[in-house]
Short mmCIF file of all heavy atoms in Angstrom, two decimals:
data_model
loop_
_atom_site.label_atom_id
_atom_site.label_comp_id
_atom_site.label_asym_id
_atom_site.label_seq_id
_atom_site.Cartn_x
_atom_site.Cartn_y
_atom_site.Cartn_z
N MET A 152 0.83 -1.20 0.02
CA MET A 152 -0.02 0.00 0.03
C MET A 152 0.87 1.20 -0.01
O MET A 152 1.85 1.32 0.73
CB MET A 152 -0.81 -0.03 1.26
CG MET A 152 -2.33 0.06 0.97
SD MET A 152 -3.26 0.33 2.50
CE MET A 152 -3.76 -1.34 2.86
N SER A 153 0.51 2.19 -0.80
CA SER A 153 1.30 3.41 -0.87
C SER A 153 1.00 4.24 0.45
O SER A 153 0.02 3.98 1.11
CB SER A 153 0.95 4.24 -2.10
OG SER A 153 -0.29 4.83 -1.93
N ASN A 154 1.85 5.17 0.72
CA ASN A 154 1.70 5.98 1.94
C ASN A 154 0.38 6.71 1.93
O ASN A 154 -0.28 6.84 2.96
CB ASN A 154 2.90 6.91 2.08
CG ASN A 154 3.03 7.48 3.48
OD1 ASN A 154 2.49 6.91 4.41
ND2 ASN A 154 3.66 8.58 3.56
N GLY A 155 0.00 7.26 0.78
CA GLY A 155 -1.27 7.98 0.69
C GLY A 155 -2.48 7.16 1.00
O GLY A 155 -3.42 7.57 1.64
N LYS A 156 -2.45 5.90 0.44
CA LYS A 156 -3.61 4.99 0.69
C LYS A 156 -3.64 4.63 2.17
O LYS A 156 -4.76 4.49 2.75
CB LYS A 156 -3.47 3.75 -0.24
CG LYS A 156 -3.84 3.90 -1.62
CD LYS A 156 -3.80 2.63 -2.36
CE LYS A 156 -4.14 2.83 -3.84
NZ LYS A 156 -4.12 1.58 -4.53
N LYS A 157 -2.49 4.41 2.77
CA LYS A 157 -2.48 4.05 4.19
C LYS A 157 -3.09 5.14 5.01
O LYS A 157 -3.88 4.90 5.93
CB LYS A 157 -1.04 3.80 4.69
CG LYS A 157 -0.60 2.41 4.62
CD LYS A 157 0.72 2.25 5.32
CE LYS A 157 1.37 0.91 5.03
NZ LYS A 157 2.75 0.86 5.56
N LYS A 158 -2.70 6.39 4.75
CA LYS A 158 -3.22 7.57 5.50
C LYS A 158 -4.69 7.73 5.25
O LYS A 158 -5.42 7.93 6.19
CB LYS A 158 -2.46 8.80 5.02
CG LYS A 158 -2.82 10.00 5.86
CD LYS A 158 -2.00 11.23 5.51
CE LYS A 158 -2.41 12.41 6.41
NZ LYS A 158 -1.68 13.58 6.05
N ALA A 159 -5.20 7.54 4.04
CA ALA A 159 -6.64 7.65 3.78
C ALA A 159 -7.40 6.56 4.51
O ALA A 159 -8.47 6.79 5.07
CB ALA A 159 -6.87 7.55 2.25
N LYS A 160 -6.86 5.34 4.51
CA LYS A 160 -7.50 4.25 5.22
C LYS A 160 -7.59 4.50 6.73
O LYS A 160 -8.58 4.35 7.40
CB LYS A 160 -6.84 2.94 4.89
CG LYS A 160 -7.53 1.76 5.57
CD LYS A 160 -6.95 0.48 5.14
CE LYS A 160 -7.68 -0.65 5.86
NZ LYS A 160 -7.81 -1.87 5.15
N ARG A 161 -6.47 5.03 7.27
CA ARG A 161 -6.42 5.30 8.69
C ARG A 161 -7.34 6.51 9.08
O ARG A 161 -8.04 6.40 10.01
CB ARG A 161 -4.98 5.66 9.14
CG ARG A 161 -4.82 5.62 10.60
CD ARG A 161 -3.51 6.22 10.99
NE ARG A 161 -3.69 7.66 10.92
CZ ARG A 161 -2.85 8.56 11.45
NH1 ARG A 161 -1.76 8.12 12.05
NH2 ARG A 161 -3.09 9.83 11.38
N ASN A 162 -7.41 7.48 8.24
CA ASN A 162 -8.32 8.59 8.50
C ASN A 162 -9.83 8.15 8.51
O ASN A 162 -10.60 8.60 9.30
CB ASN A 162 -8.12 9.72 7.53
CG ASN A 162 -6.82 10.46 7.78
OD1 ASN A 162 -6.25 10.41 8.84
ND2 ASN A 162 -6.35 11.19 6.78
N SER A 163 -10.18 7.24 7.61
CA SER A 163 -11.57 6.77 7.58
C SER A 163 -11.86 5.92 8.80
O SER A 163 -12.89 5.98 9.34
CB SER A 163 -11.85 5.99 6.29
OG SER A 163 -11.13 4.79 6.28
N THR A 164 -10.83 5.12 9.20
CA THR A 164 -11.01 4.33 10.44
C THR A 164 -11.21 5.25 11.67
O THR A 164 -12.05 4.97 12.54
CB THR A 164 -9.82 3.39 10.69
OG1 THR A 164 -9.63 2.56 9.51
CG2 THR A 164 -9.98 2.54 11.88
N VAL A 165 -10.45 6.26 11.75
CA VAL A 165 -10.53 7.22 12.85
C VAL A 165 -11.88 7.91 12.83
O VAL A 165 -12.56 8.10 13.88
CB VAL A 165 -9.42 8.30 12.82
CG1 VAL A 165 -9.63 9.42 13.78
CG2 VAL A 165 -8.08 7.64 13.06
N ALA A 166 -12.33 8.28 11.62
CA ALA A 166 -13.72 8.96 11.55
C ALA A 166 -14.82 8.01 11.96
O ALA A 166 -15.72 8.38 12.68
CB ALA A 166 -13.91 9.36 10.06
N ILE A 167 -14.76 6.70 11.53
CA ILE A 167 -15.77 5.78 11.94
C ILE A 167 -15.79 5.51 13.43
O ILE A 167 -16.84 5.48 14.04
CB ILE A 167 -15.52 4.39 11.18
CG1 ILE A 167 -15.82 4.57 9.66
CG2 ILE A 167 -16.35 3.27 11.82
CD1 ILE A 167 -15.39 3.39 8.83
N LYS A 168 -14.59 5.44 14.02
CA LYS A 168 -14.49 5.30 15.45
C LYS A 168 -15.08 6.51 16.20
O LYS A 168 -15.63 6.36 17.28
CB LYS A 168 -13.09 4.99 15.89
CG LYS A 168 -12.65 3.63 15.53
CD LYS A 168 -11.20 3.37 16.07
CE LYS A 168 -10.76 1.94 15.75
NZ LYS A 168 -9.41 1.65 16.32
N ALA A 169 -14.84 7.68 15.68
CA ALA A 169 -15.31 8.93 16.30
C ALA A 169 -16.89 8.90 16.26
O ALA A 169 -17.52 9.27 17.32
CB ALA A 169 -14.74 10.12 15.60
N VAL A 170 -17.49 8.55 15.17
CA VAL A 170 -18.96 8.45 15.10
C VAL A 170 -19.48 7.37 16.02
O VAL A 170 -20.47 7.62 16.66
CB VAL A 170 -19.43 8.27 13.65
CG1 VAL A 170 -20.93 8.03 13.62
CG2 VAL A 170 -19.05 9.50 12.75
N ALA A 171 -18.86 6.22 16.10
CA ALA A 171 -19.26 5.19 16.93
C ALA A 171 -19.22 5.62 18.39
O ALA A 171 -20.14 5.34 19.17
CB ALA A 171 -18.37 3.94 16.75
N HIS A 172 -18.14 6.34 18.77
CA HIS A 172 -18.05 6.87 20.14
C HIS A 172 -19.17 7.83 20.42
O HIS A 172 -19.78 7.79 21.52
CB HIS A 172 -16.70 7.45 20.34
CG HIS A 172 -16.48 8.02 21.68
ND1 HIS A 172 -16.33 7.17 22.82
CD2 HIS A 172 -16.40 9.27 22.22
CE1 HIS A 172 -16.17 7.92 23.88
NE2 HIS A 172 -16.19 9.17 23.56
N LYS A 173 -19.49 8.73 19.48
CA LYS A 173 -20.57 9.70 19.68
C LYS A 173 -21.91 8.99 19.85
O LYS A 173 -22.66 9.35 20.79
CB LYS A 173 -20.62 10.66 18.46
CG LYS A 173 -21.58 11.75 18.63
CD LYS A 173 -21.54 12.70 17.45
CE LYS A 173 -20.62 13.86 17.81
NZ LYS A 173 -20.77 14.97 16.88
N LEU A 174 -22.19 8.00 19.04
CA LEU A 174 -23.42 7.25 19.21
C LEU A 174 -23.47 6.47 20.53
O LEU A 174 -24.56 6.40 21.14
CB LEU A 174 -23.58 6.28 17.97
CG LEU A 174 -23.95 6.93 16.73
CD1 LEU A 174 -23.95 5.88 15.58
CD2 LEU A 174 -25.28 7.65 16.78
N ALA A 175 -22.33 5.95 20.95
CA ALA A 175 -22.34 5.23 22.25
C ALA A 175 -22.63 6.19 23.39
O ALA A 175 -23.35 5.86 24.30
CB ALA A 175 -20.91 4.59 22.46
N ARG A 176 -22.08 7.38 23.31
CA ARG A 176 -22.35 8.41 24.37
C ARG A 176 -23.85 8.78 24.34
O ARG A 176 -24.46 8.98 25.37
CB ARG A 176 -21.45 9.64 24.15
CG ARG A 176 -20.06 9.36 24.57
CD ARG A 176 -19.10 10.50 24.42
NE ARG A 176 -19.70 11.82 24.42
CZ ARG A 176 -19.34 12.85 23.65
NH1 ARG A 176 -18.34 12.70 22.78
NH2 ARG A 176 -19.90 14.04 23.80
N ALA A 177 -24.35 8.89 23.12
CA ALA A 177 -25.82 9.29 23.00
C ALA A 177 -26.70 8.13 23.64
O ALA A 177 -27.62 8.43 24.32
CB ALA A 177 -26.17 9.50 21.54
N CYS A 178 -26.30 6.91 23.33
CA CYS A 178 -27.05 5.75 23.93
C CYS A 178 -27.02 5.71 25.45
O CYS A 178 -27.99 5.54 26.11
CB CYS A 178 -26.56 4.44 23.33
SG CYS A 178 -26.94 4.22 21.63
N HIS A 179 -25.84 6.00 25.94
CA HIS A 179 -25.64 6.03 27.41
C HIS A 179 -26.55 7.15 28.02
O HIS A 179 -27.22 6.92 29.03
CB HIS A 179 -24.23 6.30 27.72
CG HIS A 179 -23.90 6.35 29.19
ND1 HIS A 179 -24.50 7.16 30.06
CD2 HIS A 179 -23.05 5.65 29.93
CE1 HIS A 179 -24.07 7.01 31.27
NE2 HIS A 179 -23.17 6.04 31.21
N HIS A 180 -26.54 8.32 27.41
CA HIS A 180 -27.36 9.43 27.85
C HIS A 180 -28.88 9.06 27.78
O HIS A 180 -29.59 9.33 28.77
CB HIS A 180 -27.10 10.70 27.06
CG HIS A 180 -27.90 11.82 27.47
ND1 HIS A 180 -27.66 12.57 28.62
CD2 HIS A 180 -29.01 12.40 26.88
CE1 HIS A 180 -28.57 13.54 28.71
NE2 HIS A 180 -29.37 13.43 27.70
N MET A 181 -29.27 8.43 26.70
CA MET A 181 -30.68 8.02 26.60
C MET A 181 -31.10 7.05 27.68
O MET A 181 -32.16 7.22 28.30
CB MET A 181 -30.94 7.38 25.22
CG MET A 181 -30.95 8.34 24.09
SD MET A 181 -30.99 7.57 22.45
CE MET A 181 -31.72 5.94 22.67
N LEU A 182 -30.26 6.04 27.96
CA LEU A 182 -30.55 5.07 28.97
C LEU A 182 -30.56 5.72 30.36
O LEU A 182 -31.39 5.42 31.24
CB LEU A 182 -29.57 3.94 28.94
CG LEU A 182 -29.61 3.10 27.69
CD1 LEU A 182 -28.49 2.12 27.68
CD2 LEU A 182 -30.96 2.30 27.65
N LYS A 183 -29.67 6.65 30.58
CA LYS A 183 -29.46 7.31 31.90
C LYS A 183 -30.68 8.26 32.21
O LYS A 183 -31.17 8.21 33.30
CB LYS A 183 -28.17 8.09 31.91
CG LYS A 183 -27.80 8.69 33.21
CD LYS A 183 -26.42 9.28 33.09
CE LYS A 183 -26.35 10.53 33.94
NZ LYS A 183 -25.08 11.23 33.78
N THR A 184 -31.06 8.94 31.15
CA THR A 184 -32.09 10.02 31.41
C THR A 184 -33.57 9.51 30.94
O THR A 184 -34.51 10.31 31.20
CB THR A 184 -31.77 11.28 30.64
OG1 THR A 184 -31.71 10.99 29.28
CG2 THR A 184 -30.48 11.87 31.16
N GLN A 185 -33.62 8.33 30.35
CA GLN A 185 -34.95 7.83 29.86
C GLN A 185 -35.59 8.79 28.85
O GLN A 185 -36.76 8.97 28.85
CB GLN A 185 -35.93 7.59 31.04
CG GLN A 185 -35.44 6.47 31.99
CD GLN A 185 -35.40 5.15 31.35
OE1 GLN A 185 -36.37 4.72 30.69
NE2 GLN A 185 -34.32 4.38 31.50
N GLN A 186 -34.79 9.41 27.98
CA GLN A 186 -35.36 10.33 26.99
C GLN A 186 -35.13 9.71 25.60
O GLN A 186 -34.16 8.91 25.38
CB GLN A 186 -34.52 11.66 27.01
CG GLN A 186 -34.82 12.52 28.27
CD GLN A 186 -34.06 13.80 28.19
OE1 GLN A 186 -33.25 14.06 27.38
NE2 GLN A 186 -34.40 14.66 29.22
N PRO A 187 -36.02 10.06 24.66
CA PRO A 187 -35.84 9.46 23.28
C PRO A 187 -34.62 10.12 22.59
O PRO A 187 -34.09 11.17 22.99
CB PRO A 187 -37.14 9.89 22.57
CG PRO A 187 -37.59 11.12 23.32
CD PRO A 187 -37.11 10.88 24.78
N PHE A 188 -34.18 9.37 21.54
CA PHE A 188 -32.98 9.86 20.72
C PHE A 188 -33.32 11.11 20.02
O PHE A 188 -34.39 11.22 19.44
CB PHE A 188 -32.59 8.71 19.83
CG PHE A 188 -31.46 9.12 18.89
CD1 PHE A 188 -30.11 9.17 19.44
CD2 PHE A 188 -31.62 9.46 17.57
CE1 PHE A 188 -29.10 9.52 18.67
CE2 PHE A 188 -30.53 9.72 16.77
CZ PHE A 188 -29.28 9.80 17.31
N SER A 189 -32.43 12.10 20.03
CA SER A 189 -32.61 13.35 19.27
C SER A 189 -31.46 13.53 18.31
O SER A 189 -30.34 13.73 18.69
CB SER A 189 -32.68 14.56 20.29
OG SER A 189 -32.63 15.72 19.59
N VAL A 190 -31.77 13.45 16.97
CA VAL A 190 -30.74 13.62 15.98
C VAL A 190 -30.11 15.00 16.09
O VAL A 190 -28.93 15.21 16.04
CB VAL A 190 -31.29 13.35 14.62
CG1 VAL A 190 -30.25 13.69 13.53
CG2 VAL A 190 -31.71 11.90 14.44
N ASN A 191 -30.97 16.03 16.29
CA ASN A 191 -30.48 17.40 16.42
C ASN A 191 -29.46 17.56 17.52
O ASN A 191 -28.48 18.29 17.37
CB ASN A 191 -31.65 18.39 16.56
CG ASN A 191 -32.53 18.43 15.37
OD1 ASN A 191 -32.06 18.14 14.22
ND2 ASN A 191 -33.77 18.71 15.48
N ARG A 192 -29.71 16.92 18.67
CA ARG A 192 -28.81 17.06 19.81
C ARG A 192 -27.59 16.31 19.56
O ARG A 192 -26.47 16.77 19.98
CB ARG A 192 -29.54 16.59 21.05
CG ARG A 192 -28.65 16.78 22.29
CD ARG A 192 -29.39 16.46 23.53
NE ARG A 192 -28.50 16.66 24.59
CZ ARG A 192 -28.75 16.59 25.87
NH1 ARG A 192 -29.97 16.28 26.23
NH2 ARG A 192 -27.83 16.78 26.79
N CYS A 193 -27.66 15.25 18.96
CA CYS A 193 -26.44 14.32 18.73
C CYS A 193 -25.53 14.92 17.71
O CYS A 193 -24.31 14.85 17.80
CB CYS A 193 -26.93 12.95 18.36
SG CYS A 193 -25.60 11.73 18.33
N PHE A 194 -26.06 15.42 16.59
CA PHE A 194 -25.19 15.75 15.42
C PHE A 194 -25.18 17.25 15.05
O PHE A 194 -25.05 17.60 13.95
CB PHE A 194 -25.59 14.99 14.15
CG PHE A 194 -25.34 13.47 14.31
CD1 PHE A 194 -26.40 12.58 14.49
CD2 PHE A 194 -24.01 13.02 14.30
CE1 PHE A 194 -26.12 11.24 14.63
CE2 PHE A 194 -23.77 11.64 14.45
CZ PHE A 194 -24.80 10.77 14.59
N THR A 195 -25.27 18.08 16.14
CA THR A 195 -25.14 19.46 15.87
C THR A 195 -24.03 20.12 16.70
O THR A 195 -23.46 19.51 17.54
CB THR A 195 -26.41 20.30 16.18
OG1 THR A 195 -26.77 20.08 17.62
CG2 THR A 195 -27.54 19.93 15.28
#
């Protein structure tokens, strides 16, 4: 793999993990507060 491809692949992995972490935090908040999921609150 060329250096550019490695970096692009790593950046996409980091981005996927960041979104997964954000969703996990949103799920934790929903369970803790018994409130429905709010897309506006999560992704703004």
